[in-house]
Amino acid sequence: DTEVTQTPKHLVMGMTNKKSLKCEQHMGHRAMYWYKQKAKKPPELMFVYSYEKLSINESVPSRFSPECPNSSLLNLHLHALQPEDSALYLCASSQEANYGYTFGSGTRLTVV
Amino acid sequence: GENVEQHPSTLSVQEGDSAVIKCTYSDSASNYFPWYKQELGKRPQLIIDIRSNVGEKKDQRIAVTLNKTAKHFSLHITETQPEDSAVYFCAASSTTGGYNKLIFGAGTRLAVHP
């Protein structure tokens, strides 16, 4: 299996909702990432997990809460989002340093 | 922190021509430089990468060059085809521990006209 699987593919949520994005990989990669991508912009790093520990939080608002239950799974819990949080949320994994990411297909999130 | 600048923002070429995209980075500690292709509505896909101990790397019609002194790296696509049309992102990373912290350039929208 050489893929990163993200669910759901599309999500529409209200500003008072709580939802979760899920990411799964079975390539044995020990680093996993969340990126946010707005239209016509590059991906922006949000969080990095290395060996299931949070290594980087790029000053992301607390309404985004990451979780890494095990080496294959990465979640992003969403609560009280704002319309400006609407974007494509990309999960990625990498083998280790100096190796490229494998990106998932992303979750297109719309906050209404 | 790392900053990556990418030029041009748009590039239009005729099928069969070559395309060159250039990036500069700010952090001299950066040592890993991948390039990603993103088609409309799809995920970014790694097309080629280069590490700081190498000056040039080639994979069929795609090549990347790195000038560490100038903090500059470039993507070269030869014999372009319509299916090369996409947004291309360069990135740089100063790897640490067990992960890469990739910082992306703003992207280049390449259009290849038949």
Side-chain angles (χ1 to χ4, degrees):
Chain A
D1 188 351
T2 58
E3 288 201 348
V4 174
T5 303
Q6 285 188 247
T7 55
K9 293 194 183 306
H10 301 274
L11 179 62
V12 179
M13 61 184 289
M15 289 187 283
T16 58
N17 290 161
K18 286 185 181 180
K19 296 286 184 183
S20 296
L21 309 185
K22 297 186 183 300
C23 175
E24 188 168 2
Q25 58 89 12
H26 295 288
M27 295 177 281
H29 291 176
R30 301 314 299 265
M32 297 186 75
Y33 311 81
W34 280 114
Y35 276 80
K36 173 182 177 180
Q37 187 176 27
K38 302 280 268 184
K40 299 187 178 181
K41 296 290 186 182
E44 284 181 51
L45 183 64
M46 300 175 71
F47 302 104
V48 178
Y49 274 83
S50 177
Y51 292 88
E52 300 162 50
K53 293 192 188 315
L54 183 64
S55 298
I56 294 180
N57 175 343
E58 290 287 87
S59 302
V60 178
S62 59
R63 58 185 183 268
F64 295 91
S65 176
E67 178 195 21
C68 189
N70 60 54
S71 61
S72 299
L73 293 174
L74 187 65
N75 297 322
L76 185 63
H77 302 297
L78 314 173
H79 173 55
L81 294 193
Q82 303 298 310
E84 58 263 31
D85 296 321
S86 298
L88 180 67
Y89 287 84
L90 291 162
C91 174
S93 68
S94 68
Q95 186 172 341
E96 56 183 66
N98 269 342
Y99 284 84
Y101 295 172
T102 299
F103 279 98
S105 296
T107 294
R108 191 161 298 281
L109 174 67
T110 302
V111 181
V112 297
Chain B
E2 175 66 277
N3 182 53
V4 178
E5 294 192 357
Q6 182 171 348
H7 300 280
S9 56
T10 60
L11 182 58
S12 182
V13 300
Q14 290 298 123
E15 184 177 359
D17 287 351
S18 294
V20 180
I21 302 170
K22 299 182 178 182
C23 290
T24 57
Y25 61 97
S26 62
D27 187 352
S28 56
S30 289
N31 55 9
Y32 176 65
F33 307 91
W35 287 87
Y36 287 84
K37 175 183 180 182
Q38 188 173 28
E39 296 177 57
L40 189 63
K42 297 195 174 181
R43 76 188 82 187
Q45 291 201 298
L46 179 68
I47 56 171
I48 196 167
D49 57 10
I50 192 166
R51 295 170 177 81
S52 58
N53 59 347
V54 175
E56 184 173 357
K57 183 177 179 180
K58 189 173 181 180
D59 182 4
Q60 298 183 335
R61 298 186 296 108
I62 294 173
V64 58
T65 59
L66 172 64
N67 182 328
K68 284 174 56 180
T69 303
K71 296 186 203 167
H72 172 272
F73 58 114
S74 300
L75 178 71
H76 304 252
I77 306 174
T78 59
E79 300 171 22
T80 54
Q81 301 167 3
E83 51 265 38
D84 294 329
S85 298
V87 178
Y88 291 80
F89 293 102
C90 63
S93 168
S94 54
T95 59
T96 178
Y99 60 87
N100 289 321
K101 179 181 174 180
L102 283 183
I103 303 300
F104 288 83
T108 296
R109 186 171 300 274
L110 173 64
V112 181
H113 302 285

